[in-house]
Amino acid sequence: MIDIATRVYNHNWKIDPIIRSLLDTDFYKLLMAQFVLHHRPDVTVTFALHNRSKHVPLAELIDEGELREQLDHVRTLSLSRGEITWLRGNTFYGRQQMFKPDFVDWFAGLRLPDYHLERRGDQYELTFEGRWAEVMMWEIPALAIIMELRSRAVLREMGKFELEILYARAKTRLWEKIERLKKLPGLVVADFGTRRRHSFLWQDWCVQAMTEGLGEKFIGTSNCLIAMRRDLEAIGTNAHELPMVYAALAGSDEELRQAPYQVLADWQKEYDGNLLIILPDTFTSEAFFRGAPDWLADWTGVRIDSGDPVEGAERALAWWQEKGRDPRQKLTIFSDGLDADLIIDLHARFHRRTRTSFGWGTLLTNDFRGLAPGDRLAPFSLVCKAVAANGRPTVKLSDNPLKAIGPAKEIERYKRVFGVGELTPREVLV
């Protein structure tokens, strides 16, 4: 096992590029890229970085030259023969040839497109524009690079013994969480922590700890590279960018209203089984379930990703019951702001009423709160979202208005079209 503290102290950044492979990304990016290539191959999309935590001055913490060096490095990456073989021959979710030959050929030839980086005050403006399937692959590497460069900037100021103690405390904290979670009967949990991790090496350590500590309760990781190297299941389905882009392309209010369901109709043509997971909160879950067609009730489950998780799960269970489906046969995945206490609480509330699963993210792979001077390693809320499609702005309303994205005028239009009233703000931790 790698001695992370010594590796950090030696500052071997040249042999430790932040992104080591194009597979160092979340599994749902690959599923969505294949979907986009088959259903919306000619759409042009712009992604942009957004730091929700304005108190973290990224442009003052991270050297622009270092950031460019890491971004440029990603543009040199391509899949190795072993990685291509893993995509072609591996079984994902019990399904062989999840990725079609045309997609694997496309991915094997992919080099990420250029980026635009500019300093704006104490923050960075970072955008990516191009064919949807290509620029979407920038989201996870861009976030991971900035999060780790911020970590490195803080760690660089620490001595060897200080680093040893820092990582010893972080390891102890995680192991204590694992010991609490392994007591839960029927727990199902996966690592969703790539995008806002402390570092690649730390995420890999966390996954190994979860594998040993939780055994069969730990079902895998969203990180494709770690899944391949550690022989784990790659976990993931889809994300908000799909309905956001479909909605931006809508030509009328009625097409806009139907956009979230058109996405899922197209997704169902591409995938089946456990990949049929509804993410309802893009334009609020209440609006989604109010207008959802009956055929969606036959899907495998729902992912709860914003707002109050208890309210979100209750809404989904009530909808299934209303449609004559048994919630105990459905899968409810929680993935927003999870930590051990919340996982334990949600598991106690719902595991007998529905099949619960947890996608544990930032507070699994980046919980260094209170461990560094000035709390400068505490995680913060950084996202990279689709902000335009074919030149038209995208919108995300969310069940939490603090996560809303888009021009104010468009947000108001979407609220009108989807019949959304006042929403209750909820502190965004990560």
Side-chain angles (χ1 to χ4, degrees):
M1 187 174 294
I2 290 173
D3 181 346
I4 299 177
T6 298
R7 188 81 158 255
V8 169
Y9 181 72
N10 290 338
H11 304 306
N12 291 326
W13 305 141
K14 294 300 180 183
I15 65 168
D16 273 342
I18 292 174
I19 303 300
R20 292 152 165 78
S21 162
L22 290 183
L23 285 184
D24 187 7
T25 192
D26 281 338
F27 186 61
Y28 73 178
K29 278 295 174 181
L30 306 192
L31 295 173
M32 290 192 296
Q34 176 168 259
F35 170 85
V36 168
L37 283 172
H38 292 166
H39 294 272
R40 292 291 190 275
D42 297 323
V43 172
T44 297
V45 171
T46 301
F47 275 75
L49 185 77
H50 176 61
N51 183 9
R52 293 177 180 142
S53 303
K54 298 299 184 184
H55 66 280
V56 179
L58 292 175
E60 294 180 3
L61 292 170
I62 297 172
D63 178 76
E64 183 175 337
E66 283 189 276
L67 176 53
R68 288 187 182 277
E69 184 179 17
Q70 294 292 340
L71 293 170
D72 289 342
H73 172 73
V74 177
R75 297 193 65 216
T76 70
L77 296 174
S78 60
L79 295 182
S80 69
R81 285 185 296 177
E83 291 169 341
I84 294 170
T85 299
W86 182 74
L87 287 172
R88 289 193 195 278
N90 199 37
T91 298
F92 301 98
Y93 283 89
R95 176 175 168 179
Q96 292 183 324
Q97 290 191 317
M98 176 74 77
F99 298 107
K100 305 295 192 297
D102 66 323
F103 170 76
V104 177
D105 290 343
W106 170 85
F107 196 17
L110 178 66
R111 304 295 184 277
L112 292 195
D114 207 352
Y115 59 88
H116 172 79
L117 176 65
E118 188 173 343
R119 179 167 179 160
R120 300 278 187 174
D122 63 0
Q123 300 294 336
Y124 283 116
E125 177 185 282
L126 179 60
T127 57
F128 313 92
E129 183 175 359
R131 292 283 182 94
W132 187 5
E134 295 177 1
V135 295
M136 71 189 295
M137 300 303 291
W138 261 119
E139 178 189 354
I140 308 302
L143 292 171
I145 284 170
I146 290 175
M147 295 300 293
E148 184 161 349
L149 282 178
R150 183 263 198 159
S151 296
R152 290 182 177 187
V154 176
L155 297 171
R156 195 175 288 128
E157 301 172 2
M158 303 175 74
K160 189 175 190 307
F161 284 95
E162 195 174 8
L163 288 167
E164 292 279 4
I165 298 303
L166 172 78
Y167 283 105
R169 287 172 174 168
K171 289 177 179 180
T172 300
R173 174 176 290 176
L174 175 56
W175 193 253
E176 287 174 348
K177 294 178 185 180
I178 290 172
E179 289 182 320
R180 294 175 64 201
L181 292 176
K182 71 181 181 182
K183 299 175 183 177
L184 302 182
L187 175 69
V188 175
V189 62
D191 159 42
F192 276 19
T194 299
R195 63 185 58 225
R196 287 188 288 267
R197 67 194 182 195
H198 170 77
S199 71
F200 173 82
L201 295 178
W202 181 249
Q203 182 183 14
D204 189 41
W205 187 92
C206 292
V207 167
Q208 292 178 71
M210 295 278 280
T211 302
E212 179 173 318
L214 293 180
E216 293 183 354
K217 292 181 169 69
F218 180 60
I219 60 169
T221 173
S222 67
N223 187 287
C224 300
L225 182 62
I226 294 175
M228 182 185 73
R229 289 183 175 181
R230 301 296 173 191
D231 194 24
L232 296 168
E233 187 77 46
I235 304 293
T237 52
N238 54 63
H240 299 105
E241 71 181 82
L242 297 184
M244 289 171 68
V245 171
Y246 267 58
L249 299 174
S252 66
D253 284 358
E254 181 55 29
E255 286 185 18
L256 173 58
R257 192 175 294 110
Q258 293 303 315
Y261 312 120
Q262 184 60 53
V263 169
L264 299 183
D266 289 347
W267 186 267
Q268 190 167 247
K269 294 174 187 175
E270 192 76 30
Y271 302 113
D272 56 21
N274 282 344
L275 295 182
L276 297 182
I277 301 296
I278 299 167
L279 180 62
D281 66 316
T282 309
F283 309 120
T284 75
S285 298
E286 183 178 352
F288 180 92
F289 287 121
R290 189 191 317 128
D294 290 346
W295 55 267
L296 276 172
D298 291 325
W299 276 36
T300 302
V302 165
R303 180 157 71 93
I304 311 298
D305 195 56
S306 67
D308 185 301
V310 174
E311 291 179 7
E314 292 290 1
R315 184 182 292 114
L317 268 61
W319 177 71
W320 281 319
Q321 290 175 325
E322 177 189 323
K323 298 297 183 181
R325 308 307 195 271
D326 184 354
R328 293 173 299 179
Q329 303 302 315
K330 297 297 184 179
L331 179 61
T332 303
I333 304 171
F334 297 94
S335 61
D336 181 36
L338 297 180
D339 204 4
D341 287 342
L342 184 54
I343 292 172
I344 291 168
D345 178 56
L346 293 171
H347 182 270
R349 287 174 181 266
F350 292 106
H351 85 280
R352 292 185 180 87
R353 301 171 58 198
T354 183
R355 294 163 51 211
T356 57
S357 181
F358 299 91
W360 193 4
T362 307
L363 295 179
L364 166 63
T365 61
N366 199 0
D367 190 3
F368 284 73
R369 293 172 294 179
L371 299 184
D375 206 16
R376 295 172 63 206
L377 284 178
F380 61 101
S381 186
L382 185 73
V383 295
C384 185
K385 294 290 186 182
V387 296
N390 285 355
R392 304 171 68 175
T394 62
V395 170
K396 178 186 174 188
L397 297 180
S398 180
D399 289 335
N400 183 354
L402 297 183
K403 288 188 172 183
I405 291 174
K409 185 176 180 180
E410 285 297 294
I411 287 177
E412 290 307 311
R413 174 182 171 234
Y414 276 59
K415 284 184 175 181
R416 173 180 58 79
V417 169
F418 288 103
V420 176
E422 290 300 312
L423 298 170
T424 303
R426 186 177 169 86
E427 181 183 5
V428 181
L429 297 177
V430 288

